[in-house]
Amino acid sequence: MSGNLTLLDDTLARAKAEDRAALIAYLPAGFPTVDGGIEAVKAVFEGGADIVEVGLPHSDPVLDGPVIQTADDIALKGGVRIADVLRTVREAHAATGKPVLVMTYWNPVDRYGVERFTAELAEAGGAGCILPDLPVQEAGVWREHAEKHGLGTVFVVAPSSRDERLATITAAGSGFVYAASLMGVTGTRESVGASAENLVGRTRATTDLPVCVGLGVSNAVQAKEVAAFADGVIVGSAFVKLMLDAPDHAAGLTAVRELAAELAEGVRRTS
């Protein structure tokens, strides 16, 4: 069975045709439970997210700040497994028809087996993978199997990336390019930073892939700011924090659905 890279491409192209940025949400699988995590992904889609990244919880998430680390710890203590991540992808995509990616560090995929992981992700209806710690020069085996199964390979670029390096990274990717708005780990911030716009411009000079910005966006004002220059706005920690702070699961679902609706308005670039 082929994965849903084409659906991802079409979703990003449709947002561009509507003269807006796409809203991409991130939530970890298994948080607060496997079933609860599936409900949360569905809720952000209902609120207006175009695409969701499902995080594969990791014991040492080097790119992720304390909010996502806390959620990952809860998921891991709950016994979440790769099968649960794939189930989250399957049920969220089946319920909404929208593109769902997995964001994961390389080690769990390598241990699970690249062929097995890509085949099962495609079978689950996944659109691809974001691999923040997989060097492009070591990604040949992954890219071969991802392409065979119709999955996108999204690499991360940072403000520190030199132009030559950007060209190498974007040439190897598919789906979109994940532009980290600033150096550091994920988390909500007062300002996304001017470096993000510069990075998007430099990245676009190397590729026709959409360039989507993450790390730091947490409200509609920031979403609008980023939507003015990026093809997609990625929001993770703000959703996770709402789930962590909610008095109960139902309240958490309401909160993330409402935030998704606010952000969906923010990415529309209206004056």
Side-chain angles (χ1 to χ4, degrees), residues 128-151:
C129 237
I130 302 166
L131 299 157
D133 66 339
L134 178 63
V136 170
Q137 61 270 25
E138 298 175 19
V141 172
W142 166 267
R143 289 172 57 202
E144 175 189 344
H145 288 291
E147 186 174 339
K148 180 171 74 173
H149 290 291
L151 297 169

Side-chain angles (χ1 to χ4, degrees), residues 154-189:
V154 178
F155 289 111
V156 178
V157 298
S160 60
S161 303
R162 296 178 181 272
D163 291 351
E164 182 180 349
R165 178 69 177 160
L166 288 176
T168 300
I169 293 170
T170 59
S174 55
F176 63 91
V177 181
Y178 187 127
S181 65
L182 68 178
M183 301 304 293
V185 298
T186 59
T188 62
R189 289 176 171 80

Side-chain angles (χ1 to χ4, degrees), residues 218-256:
S218 61
N219 57 52
V221 172
Q222 292 172 334
K224 182 177 180 180
E225 174 192 346
V226 174
F229 59 81
D231 299 296
V233 179
I234 303 169
V235 181
S237 295
F239 285 117
V240 177
K241 189 173 190 305
L242 288 174
M243 295 291 294
L244 284 169
D245 292 347
D248 55 55
H249 184 58
L253 294 179
T254 297
V256 297

Side-chain angles (χ1 to χ4, degrees), residues 45-253:
F45 271 136
E46 290 164 4
D50 298 290
I51 299 160
V52 169
E53 305 169 6
V54 171
L56 195 161
H58 194 275
S59 57
D60 185 26
V62 293
L63 185 70
D64 296 308
V67 170
I68 291 175
Q69 286 184 24
T70 299
D72 278 4
D73 286 344
I74 291 169
L76 291 168
K77 287 175 182 174
V80 69
R81 297 289 183 266
I82 286 180
D84 300 313
V85 178
L86 295 169
R87 179 186 155 211
T88 301
V89 172
R90 179 181 295 105
E91 295 195 15
H93 171 65
T96 64
K98 294 184 177 181
V100 184
L101 301 108
V102 169
M103 186 165 190
T104 179
Y105 296 97
W106 178 243
N107 189 42
V109 175
D110 192 35
R111 288 203 316 262
Y112 195 76
V114 177
E115 169 59 26
R116 179 185 178 194
F117 185 86
T118 52
E120 292 182 6
L121 180 57
E123 187 276 330
C129 237
I130 302 166
L131 299 157
D133 66 339
L134 178 63
V136 170
Q137 61 270 25
E138 298 175 19
V141 172
W142 166 267
R143 289 172 57 202
E144 175 189 344
H145 288 291
E147 186 174 339
K148 180 171 74 173
H149 290 291
L151 297 169
T153 299
V154 178
F155 289 111
V156 178
V157 298
S160 60
S161 303
R162 296 178 181 272
D163 291 351
E164 182 180 349
R165 178 69 177 160
L166 288 176
T168 300
I169 293 170
T170 59
S174 55
F176 63 91
V177 181
Y178 187 127
S181 65
L182 68 178
M183 301 304 293
V185 298
T186 59
T188 62
R189 289 176 171 80
E190 293 299 316
S191 173
V192 177
S195 61
E197 186 169 1
N198 177 264
L199 176 59
V200 169
R202 292 197 298 121
T203 304
R204 280 194 176 138
T206 71
T207 184
D208 291 330
L209 288 173
V211 182
C212 304
V213 171
L215 274 67
V217 178
S218 61
N219 57 52
V221 172
Q222 292 172 334
K224 182 177 180 180
E225 174 192 346
V226 174
F229 59 81
D231 299 296
V233 179
I234 303 169
V235 181
S237 295
F239 285 117
V240 177
K241 189 173 190 305
L242 288 174
M243 295 291 294
L244 284 169
D245 292 347
D248 55 55
H249 184 58
L253 294 179

